[in-house]
Every structure is written in structure tokens, then in C-alpha cells.
Amino acid sequence: MIKTAQSYKQTDLTDQKFDLIVIGSGISGMGVAAIMAKEGQKVLMLERHYTIGGYTHVFKRPGYEWDVGIHYLGMMKDPKRFEYQLWHYITDGAMQWEPMPKCYDKIIIDGKQYDFLAGPEAFTQQMKQYFPDPKDQESIDQYMVLLKKASQENRLYYAERMLPSFWSRIFGNMMKKGFRPFAERKTIDVLKEITDNPTLIAVLTGQYGNYGEPPAKSSFGMHCTVVNHYMHGACFPVGGCRQIADSVCKVITGNGGQVLSNAEVIEIVVKNNKAIGVRMADDKVFYAKKIVSSAGTYNTFTRLLPGQLQLKHAVQEKMKGLKRSTSYMCLHIGLADTTSNLKLNKSNYWIYKGTDHDQSVANYVSNPRKANFPVVYISFPSSKDPTWEERYPGKSTIEIITMAPYKLFAEWEGERWRKRGDDYNALKEEFSQRLLEELYVVEPQLKGKIDFYELSTPLSTRHFMNYESGEMYGLSPTPERFAHKFVRVQTPIKNLFLTGQDLICAGVLGALSSSVFTTSVLLKRNGQSMIEKRVRKELNLTDD
Ligand SMILES: Cc1cc2nc3c(=O)[nH]c(=O)nc-3n(C[C@H](O)[C@H](O)[C@H](O)COP(=O)(O)OP(=O)(O)OC[C@H]3O[C@@H](n4cnc5c(N)ncnc54)[C@H](O)[C@@H]3O)c2cc1C
């Protein structure tokens, strides 16, 4: 049997020299490690958490298991699409995907439900049923045209991140031209050009929680990228999200790589402006020819890079205009009955009060204990995984997510996990009860059926995921972030490279795609066409 991850504490590899060290084991780090290990590189992936997978990891309590950062992915069933081929490549075909129902998201605004249906035609028809006014119908058509154009233009824009700064100055504008009117404008500004109906805007942006910023803050390019990702339907990993880390790590270690958990990097070791290794929390050093960080822009540049190099490269100055994304809380719920007895949905709910998402966020941020939640997202993971009943007979799970201003929990940031005291626990309980009330409005049959619940807060994210303000999606997806030039595969330090959700965009696929960009730069070849060719050959795919 192939060994996957090992604990840092039980392994000593300091006598070895590596071709590549990957900091962090999120999907982007795992993607880089798997692709490079398959190229015969000696890879070491270091993860600070006790478990591998970054936001794709799962956690358990007696009798239950929950996902942390995956509730659904864009449809993964078409082997001719690169998304499918990429997953196939990094897992050696081990992942299987269960389609969600045709209606994958239910947007509920002031009690009225709007279903998001798979497929652009079905989606358009459904929206037109909700908005029969000819003016709105025309706006919906215009919106669909914009989404299509965005999907055609975004690739070159994102690919520009692979260029070194010098070449970016020469070719950057040309590559970014097509998608710039999407990426570098606010969602609300574009939508207001096509409609003045606030309900239509609220419905079309009803998945904004997938990127974390409401329409007056988010980049329209980010909005389009996420909406297009789910437009052909959604799916869920068969066997649960744990399958992801298990299967990618098998590929890494099966190709001679090493994967260590409990392995916190505290510094990138740099000599003559060249990254040569990483220093661990216990002061041990691992050396490698190249280092890739998937630990996020803030961690990489403001924590792991030695102070004098931060000054030398004017990191603070260059990061101006970037912001951390929103923080969140999640109520993980366990029920001691089957999903069918409990009549649990497979579709997700996005619940709103009022049509002005920006105003709702502002009200909540200024008074989170009194104002309505700006968005409540409810997912039923046990009903999405066809193997759940076999793995956890007679049990079901639910996850409820909403925003959580970090400042509300900041006073406990110095306290240890599970030792934050009664006031912290009371605050958690207050929010848990509020979130349960939201659940009972849409699923009243669940009242009295809850067996277990536990709320994670921004401090949980800070503690386990190392996002300092508990941020959900790395960098905030604002137009300024997309216009920004600093975050790119190649850093100002030779042999230090970036990967991860900050490079392209948030979302598991956004982060995984970044690993193809990063490995393309490392290998000096087009990673996408390399993977495409190999998978097409392996699966005997023809061009038609
Ligand atoms: C609640 C929630 C729900 C989500 N739902 C979905 C969804 O349904 N679908 C979807 O597509 N996306 C979803 N996302 C987004 C998606 O999970 C992320 O965009 C993506 O997984 C990020 O991957 P990554 O590799 O960039 O980073 P991460 O997964 O954040 O991985 C970074 C890793 O680096 C490690 N690290 C940090 N510092 C160090 C250090 N010093 N030393 C060693 N290791 C370190 C961290 O512990 C972490 O494991 C969700 C996110 C959240 C938070």
C-alpha cells in the first residue's frame, strides 16, 4: 500500500535535498506537487495543519464528518473539458463525481424562491419565468451574452500572471485587454447598465457568497468566473471531500514525493536573493532548488519572507490596494437519522432578506449581533454523497455559513483553541441558535431533530488554516485586486514561486488551475496542453 501523508514529528528528512518544496497542502499545493512529482522531480510538500488538504480537508466528531471548504464544484462529467482532465491527471483517475440535481442552487429573497438550473438555456428560461417583463427579459439576454463573452476572454487575462514582470510590461496590456472590462469593474456597475430592477440584480448575484463580496465591492470578472463555473450544473466528490487529498497524495507519494503534516514553515531561507530552502518551526531547515508557496500572498510575503527582504522589495508598498477577503462562521450540524427520512435537499439554499446585498452587509458589519445576516448559505453534504449512508448509516449532516466580522471575535485571538472561555462559548451559542432558526424556516421538519452542532468562527480559520483574519478566500476579489500587478507566479525572489487561489481566483478550481500556471513556469512548457495531450491519449479521446 502506498503511504500518503506522514507526520513531521515522526520523520527526519533533513539530510535530503529536494528539487522542489511546496509550502501548504491546499488543492493548489497538492496540484503543483502531483504534477511535478509526475515529471520525476523530488518533491516535498509541507503542511502546518495536522491534516492534509487545506480547505479541501474534512473534520470529524464522533459519528459525523464535515467538509470545510467545498460544498459543490462545477460539473465534472465531461472528459473533453480540461477541468475533468486536470482532476483525472492529478489523481490518476481516482476521483468520481456525483452530479447534483438540475436545480443546484435555490436563491431565496424575502421568502420567494428562484431556482438556478443547470445549462444556459434552462437557466435563461427559468429566469425569464420569474421576470416576465420584456425589459427584464432583454436584460437577462444581455447578461447571458456578457457571461459567454467573459468565459471566452478570461483565459489570457489570467495567463498573464505567468509572465515575469519584464514581459508583462511588454505583453500584459494586450493579454488583459479582452477581460479587463469584466475583471476591473464592479459587478454592480456592469449590472446597472443592463437593468434597473433591484430584484433581478439581487437574484443574479445570489451566489456572491461563493466569492465573498457583494456587488458594489466585487469584480464583475470574478462574478462571471464563478457563475460560469456552475452554469452547466454542479457536482460533489463521491466518498466525500476527503477523497481529494487522499487521491492526490497517493499520486505525489507514488511518484517518489514526500508529504508531511504538522510541518509549519516559519521562514523562506534566501541567499543572495535566491530562495534555497525553508526553516521549520523547530528551526530545522530543508533545502531545495525551488520553493513554491501556496500559503497565500499575505503569509508568503509578510510572514515567511525575512524582514530585510520585505523592506528591500518594498513588499508593503507593492501590496497596497490588496485586501483580505471576508471572514465567516459555519455551523456544522449532525442529525441522527437518514437524509431520506429527514427529507433533506441536495440543492443549496442562499437566503437573503432584502434585495440590496451591499446594504445588508454594511448593516450587519456595523451591528452583527442585532442586524439580519446578510446571507445564509445552507448545504446538505450527506445527501450529495452517494456513499454517505454506507459510511455513516442512520446519520446526516448540514452546514450553514454566514459572514462573521473578525473584530467580533478578535478579543479571544490570543487564547488557545477550545480554551477561549465562557463568553466566547456564549457568543458562539447565540449565533448557533440564530443560524438554526434560519434553517427551520426553510426546513421546518428538522426542529427537534438536531443531534449535534458546533460553530466554527474566524478564529477557527485563523488557527487551522493560518489565515490571519479568518479570511475565507485569501485576497478579496475586488477590481483593484485583479488590476494589481504584484501577485504573479514569479516573485521578486529567484526560485520562489506562488500558486493558489490568490493567483487566479477563489474556488477549488481557481486554485487548482493556478497549479497548472505555476508548473508551466517551473517546467518552462505549456502545462495545460501537456496534461490535455496525456489524458486524451490515456482515455482515447478523439477530437469530435
Ligand atoms: C467555508 C468555505 C466554503 C467553500 N466552498 C467552496 C465550494 O463549495 N466550492 C469551491 O470551489 N470552493 C469553495 N471554497 C473555496 C475553496 O475552498 C478555496 O478557494 C481553495 O480551496 C483554496 O485553495 P488553496 O490551495 O489556494 O489554499 P488553501 O486551501 O487555503 O491551502 C493553503 C494551505 O497552506 C497551509 N499553510 C499556511 N501557512 C503555512 C505555513 N507557514 N507552513 C505550512 N503550511 C502552511 C494552510 O494550512 C493550508 O492548508 C470555500 C471556501 C470556504 C472557506
Side-chain angles (χ1 to χ4, degrees), residues 369 408-409 411-412 420-430:
R369 296 180 73 173
L408 189 63
F409 298 93
E411 67 180 278
W412 294 283
R420 297 189 181 116
D422 293 345
D423 289 350
Y424 176 75
N425 291 336
L427 188 62
K428 279 180 40 159
E429 180 60 15
E430 179 185 319

Side-chain angles (χ1 to χ4, degrees), residues 272-287:
N272 300 329
N273 206 48
K274 201 195 259 184
I276 56 166
V278 296
R279 187 177 307 284
M280 308 302 291
D282 63 1
D283 216 35
K284 278 188 191 152
V285 176
F286 289 115
Y287 293 97

Side-chain angles (χ1 to χ4, degrees), residues 23-29 46-49 51 53-56 68-74 210 229-230 263-266 294-296 299 303-304 328 330 377 401 461 464-467 471-473 499-502 505-509 511 514:
I23 306 170
S25 72
I27 189 62
S28 62
L46 300 166
E47 169 55 52
R48 163 186 185 278
H49 198 348
T51 182
Y55 270 135
T56 70
V68 175
I70 300 193
H71 301 101
Y72 60 148
L73 286 159
N210 276 329
H229 176 61
Y230 293 112
E264 178 167 15
V265 173
I266 53 156
S294 76
N299 280 336
R303 289 167 133 187
L304 299 181
Y328 74 101
C330 180
Y377 170 80
I401 301 177
T461 306
F464 289 111
M465 301 296 299
N466 213 19
Y467 287 103
E471 57 265 38
M472 194 171 182
Y473 297 123
T499 200
Q501 59 184 343
D502 291 351
C505 68
V508 171
L509 194 70
S514 76

Side-chain angles (χ1 to χ4, degrees), residues 21 47 69 84 167 195 208 245 273 290 300-301 333 346 358 363 434 441 444 474 482 496 522:
I21 289 175
E47 169 55 52
Y84 178 97
W167 291 112
T195 178
Y208 85 81
N273 206 48
K290 292 188 174 136
T300 307
F301 290 110
I333 299 173
K346 286 190 183 180
D358 285 273
N363 295 345
R434 282 181 64 188
V441 173
F482 284 94
L496 172 64
L522 293 173

